[in-house]
């Protein structure tokens, strides 16, 4: 591939980040519109109990996350040899179709299925886009390349999700999803024109990619994300009723709180990418600490405006800062299975998302209130930290060595 000018590299990275922006919009817009979805798709249950309807509507978030969990390793392992640009275009086209289906299907069950299907390309897109970005950035800047792709997702929480949430509030949630589908269509055009051709991994086979799962350090890295990250979605899924029912603010304040979370995520993602290039495990421990403080503070002070804004910012910061560190760690320990490692991180994080959304819904449905997801999220951080400690101790016991040569499972 011929050398690209700095301007061309920036435009290609912008196109990849736009895909992250669209994905962030389709993934997170349900949070701000959760009561709208519950009212429209579960009218009988909503009339009987708003809490129960909101809790069940949270399954839409879990369904999308489970789609990511299923799709990320499957697509990444099967398509590692495909030219990366063409694969990105196919994935964005699938996103567009899945998001349109989410907007137009008439019943809760069908929309639930559409959200699962829409989640299938998520991990593969971020995995392949991260590899393309890392290639464009050059050696020693993988964490920064990952962060640039993820910046679209975090910026979506500042601009896309709040504005689309407002659009859905004043029109309908279906119009909101159609707006997201339009962003995906624009992403398809941007990638087609701005991202240079990049070949796939000619030596990749499904068997070679799946060999990553024979490495104990890969499983530890995946579990760190899957367990520890659940606290973010336990809180974020139910952010709308937390604003209106706990802080007693009007629905108009929901987009404002989403902006605050998005600012925290954007700053956290950029700092997390920078620090991951310098000390991956140190970054993981540091940002878990931030996350613990944020969840505790939110649970104790979310009934006040200042507490709600300060600690939702920190929740977003801590979660987003963890993501590039965990993804870089996976790429370090996965050996030759780089496509799978880059994608399966998002499967792990969304397994945590699904778990967090589910547990938060169970707690709320049991009558424990809208603050209970924060406490459940805090509990999930404990095993996440324990797994990070186990990974570091195993690395030191093996003498540090090359992280890509992590020991195989017995």
């Amino acid at each position: 591939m011929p050398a690209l000018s700095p301007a061309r590299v920036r435009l290609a990275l912008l196109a990849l980040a736009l895909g992250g922006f669209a994905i962030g919009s389709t993934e997170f817009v349900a949070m701000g519109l959760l009561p709208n979805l519950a009212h429209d798709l579960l009218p009988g249950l909503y009339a009987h109990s708003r809490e129960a309807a909101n809790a069940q509507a949270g399954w839409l978030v879990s369904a999308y996350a489970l789609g990511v969990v299923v799709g990320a390793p499957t697509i990444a392992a099967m398509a590692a040899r495909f030219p990366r640009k063409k694969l990105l275009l196919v994935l964005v086209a699938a996103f567009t179709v899945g998001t349109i289906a989410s907007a137009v299907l008439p019943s809760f069950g069908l929309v639930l299925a559409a959200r699962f299907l829409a989640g299938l390309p998520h991990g593969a897109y971020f995995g392949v886009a991260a590899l393309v970005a890392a290639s464009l950035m050059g050696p020693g800047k993988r964490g920064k390349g990952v962060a640039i792709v993820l910046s679209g997702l975090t910026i979506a929480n500042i601009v896309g999700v709040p504005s689309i949430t407002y659009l859905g509030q004043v029109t309908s949630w279906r119009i909101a999803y159609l707006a997201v589908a339009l962003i995906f269509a624009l992403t398809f055009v941007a990638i087609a024109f701005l991202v240079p051709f990049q070949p796939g991994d000619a030596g990749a086979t499904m068997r070679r990619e799946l060999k990553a799962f024979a490495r104990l350090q890969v499983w530890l890295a995946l579990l760190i994300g899957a367990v520890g990250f659940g606290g973010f979605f336990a809180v974020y899924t139910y952010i709308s009723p937390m604003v209106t029912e706990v802080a007693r603010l009007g629905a108009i304040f929901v987009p404002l709180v989403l902006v605050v979370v998005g600012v925290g995520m954007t700053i956290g993602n950029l700092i997390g990418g920078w620090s991951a290039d310098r000390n991956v495990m140190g970054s993981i421990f540091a940002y878990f600490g931030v996350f613990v403080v944020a969840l505790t503070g939110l649970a104790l002070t979310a009934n006040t405006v200042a507490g709600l804004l300060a600690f939702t910012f920190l929740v977003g910061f801590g979660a987003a800062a963890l993501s590039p560190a965990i993804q870089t760690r996976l790429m370090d320990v996965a050996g030759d299975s780089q496509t799978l490692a880059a994608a399966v991180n998002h499967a792990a994080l969304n397994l945590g998302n699904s778990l967090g959304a589910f547990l938060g819904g169970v707690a709320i449905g049991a009558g424990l209130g809208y603050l209970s997801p924060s406490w459940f999220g805090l509990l999930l951080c404990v095993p996440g930290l324990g797994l990070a400690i186990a990974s570091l101790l195993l690395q030191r016991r093996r003498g540090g060595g090359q992280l890509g040569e992590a020991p195989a499972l017995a």
Side-chain angles (χ1 to χ4, degrees), residues 8 203 259:
R8 179 67 190 279
V259 169

Side-chain angles (χ1 to χ4, degrees), residues 89-131:
L89 290 173
V90 170
L91 294 171
V92 172
F95 268 124
T96 306
V97 172
T99 306
I100 291 173
S102 302
V104 301
L105 290 173
S107 68
F108 178 78
L110 290 174
V111 174
L112 193 71
R115 295 315 295 154
F116 173 81
L117 294 174
L120 292 174
H122 177 123
Y125 176 88
F126 275 122
V128 176
L131 292 175

Side-chain angles (χ1 to χ4, degrees), residues 41-92:
L41 294 173
L42 300 164
L45 183 60
Y46 191 86
H48 176 70
S49 169
R50 286 191 299 176
E51 282 195 355
N54 284 330
Q56 188 167 327
W59 296 358
L60 296 169
V61 178
S62 294
Y64 181 92
L66 287 174
V68 181
V69 172
V70 173
T74 305
I75 297 172
M78 292 176 62
R81 298 181 66 178
F82 291 8
R84 289 171 179 167
K85 177 177 178 177
K86 291 183 179 179
L87 180 55
L88 288 172
L89 290 173
V90 170
L91 294 171
V92 172

Side-chain angles (χ1 to χ4, degrees), residues 28 64 99 169 208 295 318 391:
F28 297 135
Y64 181 92
T99 306
Q169 288 175 338
R208 193 194 79 178
L295 289 168
S391 178

Side-chain angles (χ1 to χ4, degrees), residues 113-279:
R115 295 315 295 154
F116 173 81
L117 294 174
L120 292 174
H122 177 123
Y125 176 88
F126 275 122
V128 176
L131 292 175
V132 173
S135 174
L136 292 170
M137 292 291 295
K141 297 181 180 179
R142 285 178 310 159
K144 190 174 180 181
V146 170
I148 287 173
V149 174
L150 291 175
S151 69
L153 185 149
T154 59
I155 292 171
N157 286 277
I158 301 175
V159 180
V161 174
S163 59
I164 294 171
T165 296
Y166 179 74
L167 175 66
Q169 288 175 338
V170 299
T171 57
S172 79
W173 64 268
R174 297 184 185 276
I175 296 296
Y177 274 112
L178 288 176
V180 174
L182 177 60
I183 301 173
F184 276 119
L186 293 174
T187 300
F188 185 94
V189 175
I191 290 175
F193 282 97
L194 298 176
V195 175
F197 172 83
Q198 281 203 357
D201 185 347
T205 64
M206 181 176 288
R207 182 177 180 181
R208 193 194 79 178
E209 290 293 312
L210 292 176
K211 282 177 66 177
F213 291 120
R215 298 171 181 269
L216 180 55
Q217 286 284 23
V218 168
W219 281 104
L220 288 172
L222 290 174
L223 288 170
I224 291 168
V227 177
F229 207 72
F232 175 66
F233 261 49
V235 170
Y236 201 30
T237 300
Y238 305 100
I239 195 75
S240 180
M242 184 181 292
V243 172
T244 57
E245 303 295 331
V246 176
R248 301 293 181 183
L249 301 172
I252 194 67
F253 285 92
V254 173
L256 173 62
V257 176
L258 292 174
V259 169
V260 170
V261 176
V263 171
M265 292 178 70
T266 300
I267 296 173
N269 174 63
L270 294 175
I271 293 177
W274 174 84
S275 63
D277 281 331
R278 286 155 178 79
N279 188 330

Side-chain angles (χ1 to χ4, degrees), residues 280-290 322 384-390 392:
V280 174
M281 292 305 296
S283 296
I284 290 174
F285 285 116
Y287 299 132
F288 258 124
V290 173
L322 272 172
L385 274 168
L387 289 161
I389 293 170
L392 182 61

